Amino acid sequence: MNVRINEEWRRLLQDEFDKPYFERLVEFVRHEYATTTVFPAGGNIFRALDLCPPSEVKVVIIGQDPYHGEGQANGLCFSVNEGVAFPPSLRNIFKEIASDTGAPLPTDGNLERWARQGVLLLNATLTVRAHQAASHAGKGWEEFTDAIVAALSSTRRDVVYMLWGAYAQRKGARIDATHNLILKAAHPSPLSAYNGFFGCRHFSQANAYLAAHNLTPIEW
């Protein structure tokens, strides 16, 4: 199947595109976009991959599914465009960064600036119906994003994986812990942030690991 995606990722994932589950997924997603409101915009479904080719990945952050509110999802997990109010989880991420690194709170929630530094901001499910959280779960996206994590782990070393919450941590089974750094904490949602996300210091730990491996740290 011909999928419009970053060429590096296409080569790495071509076997997935040719599998029956992916063909069924494409049919489902096309029907959803044609018959109801779906986020993100169709051109942004693979935006996380397009902005961060595998050869440039330094950090992987895994979300669950896109924001389902109007004007929020932009193809990068936890990210919103300029001018959009910070969702609660993103606000908590910025609070932890400020506490951990001393960086000031940003004025906008567009995390493209991270993606362009090598942070893969990957949702486990890449599309969602408007106002219906997890509405595209169980349709094949999880198998595809599992393959992304497995392919990255098998071809790249010295990558930091930030796994927040049980959902993201289940993908950790596909990561080579010997040659990468896996950081686990509670999800930054207000429901769980005080149970281990605040104070996790993942952002300074990631930068220390990158520096120790002669890689440029991320400007969070």
Side-chain angles (χ1 to χ4, degrees), residues 88-89 92 186-196 198:
S89 291
N92 286 341
H187 194 276
S189 160
L191 298 175
S192 54
Y194 287 96
N195 292 326
F198 287 136

Side-chain angles (χ1 to χ4, degrees), residues 63-206:
Q64 191 158 345
D65 62 349
Y67 296 125
H68 54 82
E70 191 73 39
Q72 290 184 304
N74 66 7
L76 307 176
C77 74
F78 296 108
S79 174
V80 292
N81 287 330
E82 293 89 343
V84 178
F86 297 169
S89 291
L90 181 59
R91 187 180 307 116
N92 286 341
I93 290 169
F94 288 152
K95 286 180 180 178
E96 174 60 21
I97 290 171
S99 172
D100 183 17
T101 71
L105 293 173
T107 57
D108 72 80
N110 190 344
L111 303 183
E112 181 177 331
R113 58 185 178 270
W114 293 2
R116 294 194 180 281
Q117 296 179 74
V119 182
L120 179 61
L121 295 159
L122 182 68
N123 276 313
T125 302
L126 298 188
T127 55
V128 68
R129 276 191 184 188
H131 313 301
Q132 295 183 42
S135 50
H136 285 187
K139 303 298 184 180
W141 279 130
E142 295 91 342
E143 186 171 349
F144 178 64
T145 53
D146 281 352
I148 290 172
V149 174
L152 192 63
S153 178
S154 68
T155 57
R156 291 289 317 280
R157 291 186 172 193
D158 306 332
V159 173
V160 181
Y161 292 83
M162 296 184 182
L163 306 179
W164 301 331
Y167 192 88
Q169 288 167 17
R170 284 197 291 271
K171 289 197 183 291
R174 292 161 179 82
I175 302 167
D176 177 4
T178 305
H179 301 292
N180 301 282
L181 177 62
I182 300 176
L183 300 174
K184 297 180 181 181
H187 194 276
S189 160
L191 298 175
S192 54
Y194 287 96
N195 292 326
F197 179 76
F198 287 136
C200 70
R201 301 185 63 86
H202 280 187
F203 304 95
S204 60
Q205 289 184 67

Side-chain angles (χ1 to χ4, degrees), residues 12-30:
L12 199 58
L13 298 170
Q14 187 57 57
D15 287 349
E16 297 302 308
F17 299 144
D18 294 333
K19 291 180 178 178
Y21 89 85
F22 194 83
E23 294 183 13
R24 291 192 298 270
L25 172 62
V26 169
E27 289 179 9
F28 167 77
V29 170
R30 282 176 176 163

